[in-house]
Amino acid sequence: MVAAMGGLLFGYDIGISGGVTSMESFLKKFFPSVLEKQKDEAAHESEYCKFDSQLLTLFTSSLYFAALVASFFAAAVTRTFGRKPSMFIGGLVFLIGSILNGVAMNVGLLIIGRLLLGVGVGFANQSVPVYLSEMAPAKIRGALNIGFQMAATIGILAAGLINYGTAKIEGGWGWRLSLALAAIPAIMMVIGAVLLPDTAVAKRMLQRVRGTQDVDDEFQDLVDASEAAKKVEHPWRNILEKRYRPQLALCTLIPFFQQLTGINVIMFYAPVLFKTLGFGDDASLMSAVITGLVNVLATVVSIFSVDRFGRRVLLLEGGAQMIISQVAVGIMVALKFGVNGEGTLSKTDANLLVFLICVYVAAFAWSWGPSGWLVPTEICPLEIRSAGQAINVSVNMLFTFFIAQTFLSLLCHMKFGLFFFFAVFVITMTVFIHLFLPETKNVPIEEMNRVC
Ligand code: BGC
């Protein structure tokens, strides 16, 4: 649970920026031109383009760019010093970033704060999922690793609720509170890192975790594996070796596909998207809370089924469900707003739209959400694990950055077609899983080469 706190920090960031960027007082202070454009109906040719601004998306996306860069340093720190220092540094940098964001007086400070938060996320996402997969007995590795994703979804929901509350603060400084409260998960992570045992120094710990003295065989396996890993000097060169092609392919494609589901359109921009589609301020922030709640609840489903039914079943079912709901949303937006983006939603339409989006979020939350962090950490043998995870984190962050930066302008140009665009990717990835993903449930992490 303590290690999974890293997920909280990740999730809080994902959930907080969309709500903040839909708050008028925030836009007025940092992005007055966006606010003017939004108010001046004549200035934007269609509803689809209401919020289109590269500077505004930079506020959201800059964090993921920093996380991308940081994950490479984090890999070296994790390999050399262990998971704990990595989590500690991540939490600390994140703490400074959240303070800067809370007191920011201009866009520059705001973005520097976001970059520091990104460094924190890079470190946390590198170390936490690996730590969890290594700690867990094979039979419940899926469930324990999903602790990370579970915490991320709780962070997203908490951010949605906080935005809903702070938007109502008179005086227009609510967004400061929203941004500064990121300090709470950061402090939890710093304290957590100090209290955690490290996987590198492990026999006593292993006995404590397993609740038995009889851990010699398993311990020996770990020692052998780690000796072998120490002999290997170049994890980066190794992962490029031919025998690790499957791992390299999976560590690259899984995060790519995870982001190309389009999930972060909802996670980052739900309030903005709902406002674009004509929802009021309150309704927009409330919708983010609803999707956030569905996200948390559906993640619980994956915790209970991932070690029973396996990763493949969840990914295939989740993929199919996402395709259906995305196509339905695309058709609905097309019918209501057409190509020129003029139209309104009735109350029934709006409810149906929120429902369809919830069906989509639920599917992601029990499939690609958790598996995107679970599978890459468990399929890599120790000698390439930190390199594999660095690739996973950086590819994930690269495409998170890409979606965060381009979504508002993609929506403006591709209109309802954007939903079909993502559906095509989900079809591709579902076929990919069907053809290429080995089932890893219940396979001890040291014996993964049996299946990969
Ligand atoms: C993804 C995030 C996403 C979140 C939603 C995570 O697994 O990496 O990009 O926002 O799930 O719950």
Side-chain angles (χ1 to χ4, degrees), residues 10 14 149 152-153 156 258-259 263-264 267-268 295 364 368-370 372-373 396 400:
F10 177 41
I14 295 170
Q149 175 72 12
T153 61
I156 296 174
Q258 191 207 44
Q259 288 309 313
I263 186 66
N264 281 324
M267 293 301 141
F268 292 147
N295 195 19
F364 176 87
W368 282 88
W373 296 103
N396 194 307
T400 306

mmCIF file of all heavy atoms in Angstrom, residues 10 14 149 152-153 156 258-259 263-264 267-268 295 364 368-370 372-373 396 400, ligand 1:
data_model
loop_
_atom_site.group_PDB
_atom_site.id
_atom_site.type_symbol
_atom_site.label_atom_id
_atom_site.label_comp_id
_atom_site.label_asym_id
_atom_site.label_seq_id
_atom_site.Cartn_x
_atom_site.Cartn_y
_atom_site.Cartn_z
ATOM 1 N N PHE A 10 0.838 10.274 -9.234
ATOM 2 C CA PHE A 10 0.659 10.218 -10.690
ATOM 3 C C PHE A 10 -0.786 10.612 -11.028
ATOM 4 O O PHE A 10 -1.040 11.486 -11.862
ATOM 5 C CB PHE A 10 0.983 8.787 -11.124
ATOM 6 C CG PHE A 10 0.791 8.473 -12.581
ATOM 7 C CD1 PHE A 10 1.167 9.374 -13.569
ATOM 8 C CD2 PHE A 10 0.259 7.239 -12.969
ATOM 9 C CE1 PHE A 10 1.017 9.053 -14.917
ATOM 10 C CE2 PHE A 10 0.105 6.910 -14.305
ATOM 11 C CZ PHE A 10 0.474 7.823 -15.282
ATOM 12 N N ILE A 14 -2.815 13.780 -13.188
ATOM 13 C CA ILE A 14 -3.631 13.532 -14.377
ATOM 14 C C ILE A 14 -4.979 14.229 -14.214
ATOM 15 O O ILE A 14 -5.471 14.907 -15.106
ATOM 16 C CB ILE A 14 -3.858 12.011 -14.571
ATOM 17 C CG1 ILE A 14 -2.531 11.316 -14.861
ATOM 18 C CG2 ILE A 14 -4.857 11.749 -15.682
ATOM 19 C CD1 ILE A 14 -2.597 9.809 -14.837
ATOM 20 N N GLN A 149 -1.997 1.209 -10.004
ATOM 21 C CA GLN A 149 -3.032 1.782 -10.859
ATOM 22 C C GLN A 149 -4.249 2.211 -10.028
ATOM 23 O O GLN A 149 -4.866 3.234 -10.277
ATOM 24 C CB GLN A 149 -3.429 0.759 -11.936
ATOM 25 C CG GLN A 149 -4.585 1.176 -12.822
ATOM 26 C CD GLN A 149 -4.210 2.278 -13.798
ATOM 27 O OE1 GLN A 149 -3.044 2.590 -13.980
ATOM 28 N NE2 GLN A 149 -5.208 2.892 -14.410
ATOM 29 N N ALA A 152 -3.559 5.357 -8.579
ATOM 30 C CA ALA A 152 -3.620 6.405 -9.605
ATOM 31 C C ALA A 152 -5.074 6.831 -9.828
ATOM 32 O O ALA A 152 -5.383 8.029 -9.900
ATOM 33 C CB ALA A 152 -2.994 5.914 -10.905
ATOM 34 N N THR A 153 -5.966 5.855 -9.906
ATOM 35 C CA THR A 153 -7.367 6.218 -10.165
ATOM 36 C C THR A 153 -7.960 6.970 -8.966
ATOM 37 O O THR A 153 -8.766 7.880 -9.138
ATOM 38 C CB THR A 153 -8.236 4.976 -10.482
ATOM 39 O OG1 THR A 153 -8.213 4.097 -9.362
ATOM 40 C CG2 THR A 153 -7.765 4.251 -11.712
ATOM 41 N N ILE A 156 -6.872 10.481 -9.328
ATOM 42 C CA ILE A 156 -7.631 11.188 -10.363
ATOM 43 C C ILE A 156 -8.988 11.625 -9.799
ATOM 44 O O ILE A 156 -9.424 12.768 -9.961
ATOM 45 C CB ILE A 156 -7.839 10.296 -11.614
ATOM 46 C CG1 ILE A 156 -6.492 9.957 -12.270
ATOM 47 C CG2 ILE A 156 -8.767 10.980 -12.615
ATOM 48 C CD1 ILE A 156 -6.574 8.970 -13.418
ATOM 49 N N GLN A 258 -1.432 1.843 -24.969
ATOM 50 C CA GLN A 258 -2.230 2.302 -23.822
ATOM 51 C C GLN A 258 -2.649 3.754 -24.022
ATOM 52 O O GLN A 258 -3.790 4.136 -23.777
ATOM 53 C CB GLN A 258 -1.440 2.166 -22.510
ATOM 54 C CG GLN A 258 -2.330 2.377 -21.293
ATOM 55 C CD GLN A 258 -1.614 2.895 -20.069
ATOM 56 O OE1 GLN A 258 -0.797 3.807 -20.141
ATOM 57 N NE2 GLN A 258 -1.912 2.304 -18.928
ATOM 58 N N GLN A 259 -1.733 4.579 -24.494
ATOM 59 C CA GLN A 259 -2.073 5.985 -24.675
ATOM 60 C C GLN A 259 -2.960 6.216 -25.893
ATOM 61 O O GLN A 259 -3.797 7.093 -25.898
ATOM 62 C CB GLN A 259 -0.803 6.838 -24.756
ATOM 63 C CG GLN A 259 -0.100 6.974 -23.424
ATOM 64 C CD GLN A 259 -1.047 7.419 -22.312
ATOM 65 O OE1 GLN A 259 -1.819 8.344 -22.473
ATOM 66 N NE2 GLN A 259 -1.013 6.729 -21.175
ATOM 67 N N ILE A 263 -7.519 7.410 -23.720
ATOM 68 C CA ILE A 263 -8.057 7.572 -22.365
ATOM 69 C C ILE A 263 -7.803 8.961 -21.791
ATOM 70 O O ILE A 263 -8.644 9.523 -21.090
ATOM 71 C CB ILE A 263 -7.464 6.489 -21.405
ATOM 72 C CG1 ILE A 263 -8.142 6.557 -20.035
ATOM 73 C CG2 ILE A 263 -5.959 6.608 -21.252
ATOM 74 C CD1 ILE A 263 -9.577 6.198 -20.009
ATOM 75 N N ASN A 264 -6.633 9.523 -22.122
ATOM 76 C CA ASN A 264 -6.324 10.796 -21.469
ATOM 77 C C ASN A 264 -7.081 11.989 -22.027
ATOM 78 O O ASN A 264 -7.085 13.061 -21.428
ATOM 79 C CB ASN A 264 -4.815 11.030 -21.425
ATOM 80 C CG ASN A 264 -4.220 10.206 -20.294
ATOM 81 O OD1 ASN A 264 -4.861 10.061 -19.250
ATOM 82 N ND2 ASN A 264 -3.058 9.636 -20.504
ATOM 83 N N MET A 267 -9.405 11.750 -19.236
ATOM 84 C CA MET A 267 -8.807 12.034 -17.933
ATOM 85 C C MET A 267 -8.327 13.487 -17.816
ATOM 86 O O MET A 267 -8.511 14.126 -16.802
ATOM 87 C CB MET A 267 -7.630 11.084 -17.674
ATOM 88 C CG MET A 267 -8.054 9.655 -17.522
ATOM 89 S SD MET A 267 -9.226 9.477 -16.157
ATOM 90 C CE MET A 267 -10.363 8.288 -16.810
ATOM 91 N N PHE A 268 -7.689 13.999 -18.881
ATOM 92 C CA PHE A 268 -7.175 15.369 -18.801
ATOM 93 C C PHE A 268 -8.270 16.389 -19.078
ATOM 94 O O PHE A 268 -8.333 17.428 -18.462
ATOM 95 C CB PHE A 268 -6.100 15.627 -19.869
ATOM 96 C CG PHE A 268 -4.826 14.878 -19.651
ATOM 97 C CD1 PHE A 268 -4.067 14.445 -20.722
ATOM 98 C CD2 PHE A 268 -4.382 14.617 -18.371
ATOM 99 C CE1 PHE A 268 -2.886 13.760 -20.531
ATOM 100 C CE2 PHE A 268 -3.199 13.940 -18.174
ATOM 101 C CZ PHE A 268 -2.453 13.499 -19.258
ATOM 102 N N ASN A 295 -13.904 4.924 -12.958
ATOM 103 C CA ASN A 295 -12.516 4.509 -13.141
ATOM 104 C C ASN A 295 -12.010 3.729 -11.917
ATOM 105 O O ASN A 295 -11.421 2.653 -12.036
ATOM 106 C CB ASN A 295 -11.674 5.773 -13.386
ATOM 107 C CG ASN A 295 -10.300 5.489 -13.938
ATOM 108 O OD1 ASN A 295 -10.045 4.416 -14.467
ATOM 109 N ND2 ASN A 295 -9.402 6.454 -13.818
ATOM 110 N N PHE A 364 -11.412 0.526 -20.073
ATOM 111 C CA PHE A 364 -9.987 0.846 -19.957
ATOM 112 C C PHE A 364 -9.493 0.482 -18.560
ATOM 113 O O PHE A 364 -8.407 -0.074 -18.392
ATOM 114 C CB PHE A 364 -9.755 2.346 -20.213
ATOM 115 C CG PHE A 364 -8.317 2.761 -20.014
ATOM 116 C CD1 PHE A 364 -7.394 2.664 -21.047
ATOM 117 C CD2 PHE A 364 -7.876 3.214 -18.768
ATOM 118 C CE1 PHE A 364 -6.062 3.023 -20.856
ATOM 119 C CE2 PHE A 364 -6.544 3.574 -18.571
ATOM 120 C CZ PHE A 364 -5.637 3.472 -19.623
ATOM 121 N N TRP A 368 -6.425 -2.051 -20.165
ATOM 122 C CA TRP A 368 -5.165 -1.398 -20.503
ATOM 123 C C TRP A 368 -4.604 -0.534 -19.380
ATOM 124 O O TRP A 368 -3.392 -0.339 -19.300
ATOM 125 C CB TRP A 368 -5.329 -0.573 -21.783
ATOM 126 C CG TRP A 368 -5.305 -1.464 -22.982
ATOM 127 C CD1 TRP A 368 -6.381 -2.095 -23.550
ATOM 128 C CD2 TRP A 368 -4.151 -1.896 -23.706
ATOM 129 N NE1 TRP A 368 -5.958 -2.880 -24.608
ATOM 130 C CE2 TRP A 368 -4.597 -2.773 -24.726
ATOM 131 C CE3 TRP A 368 -2.788 -1.629 -23.612
ATOM 132 C CZ2 TRP A 368 -3.726 -3.373 -25.639
ATOM 133 C CZ3 TRP A 368 -1.925 -2.228 -24.518
ATOM 134 C CH2 TRP A 368 -2.391 -3.092 -25.519
ATOM 135 N N GLY A 369 -5.477 -0.002 -18.532
ATOM 136 C CA GLY A 369 -4.992 0.834 -17.429
ATOM 137 C C GLY A 369 -4.010 0.060 -16.562
ATOM 138 O O GLY A 369 -2.810 0.348 -16.519
ATOM 139 N N PRO A 370 -4.502 -0.979 -15.851
ATOM 140 C CA PRO A 370 -3.592 -1.734 -14.997
ATOM 141 C C PRO A 370 -2.552 -2.546 -15.764
ATOM 142 O O PRO A 370 -1.381 -2.583 -15.383
ATOM 143 C CB PRO A 370 -4.532 -2.664 -14.218
ATOM 144 C CG PRO A 370 -5.848 -2.619 -14.900
ATOM 145 C CD PRO A 370 -5.916 -1.345 -15.679
ATOM 146 N N GLY A 372 -1.097 -1.988 -18.498
ATOM 147 C CA GLY A 372 -0.042 -1.143 -19.054
ATOM 148 C C GLY A 372 1.116 -0.971 -18.083
ATOM 149 O O GLY A 372 2.250 -0.706 -18.482
ATOM 150 N N TRP A 373 0.846 -1.108 -16.794
ATOM 151 C CA TRP A 373 1.927 -0.980 -15.808
ATOM 152 C C TRP A 373 2.366 -2.329 -15.273
ATOM 153 O O TRP A 373 3.469 -2.481 -14.752
ATOM 154 C CB TRP A 373 1.503 -0.051 -14.663
ATOM 155 C CG TRP A 373 1.284 1.322 -15.205
ATOM 156 C CD1 TRP A 373 0.083 1.917 -15.472
ATOM 157 C CD2 TRP A 373 2.296 2.241 -15.644
ATOM 158 N NE1 TRP A 373 0.284 3.145 -16.043
ATOM 159 C CE2 TRP A 373 1.624 3.378 -16.154
ATOM 160 C CE3 TRP A 373 3.696 2.216 -15.664
ATOM 161 C CZ2 TRP A 373 2.320 4.480 -16.671
ATOM 162 C CZ3 TRP A 373 4.376 3.312 -16.167
ATOM 163 C CH2 TRP A 373 3.689 4.424 -16.661
ATOM 164 N N ASN A 396 5.391 5.684 -22.649
ATOM 165 C CA ASN A 396 4.094 6.087 -22.100
ATOM 166 C C ASN A 396 4.011 7.611 -21.978
ATOM 167 O O ASN A 396 3.049 8.243 -22.424
ATOM 168 C CB ASN A 396 3.895 5.409 -20.737
ATOM 169 C CG ASN A 396 2.454 5.487 -20.268
ATOM 170 O OD1 ASN A 396 1.885 6.572 -20.216
ATOM 171 N ND2 ASN A 396 1.866 4.352 -19.941
ATOM 172 N N THR A 400 1.667 10.261 -23.796
ATOM 173 C CA THR A 400 0.790 11.044 -22.921
ATOM 174 C C THR A 400 0.989 12.517 -23.266
ATOM 175 O O THR A 400 0.033 13.287 -23.405
ATOM 176 C CB THR A 400 1.146 10.804 -21.432
ATOM 177 O OG1 THR A 400 1.116 9.413 -21.164
ATOM 178 C CG2 THR A 400 0.167 11.505 -20.517
HETATM 179 C C1 BGC B 1 -2.423 5.600 -17.621
HETATM 180 C C2 BGC B 1 -2.767 7.056 -17.571
HETATM 181 C C3 BGC B 1 -4.260 7.223 -17.408
HETATM 182 C C4 BGC B 1 -4.753 6.453 -16.213
HETATM 183 C C5 BGC B 1 -6.246 6.524 -16.088
HETATM 184 C C6 BGC B 1 -2.956 4.927 -16.391
HETATM 185 O O1 BGC B 1 -2.673 3.579 -16.453
HETATM 186 O O2 BGC B 1 -1.032 5.423 -17.725
HETATM 187 O O3 BGC B 1 -2.286 7.697 -18.701
HETATM 188 O O4 BGC B 1 -4.595 8.564 -17.260
HETATM 189 O O5 BGC B 1 -4.361 5.119 -16.296
HETATM 190 O O6 BGC B 1 -6.711 5.872 -14.957
#
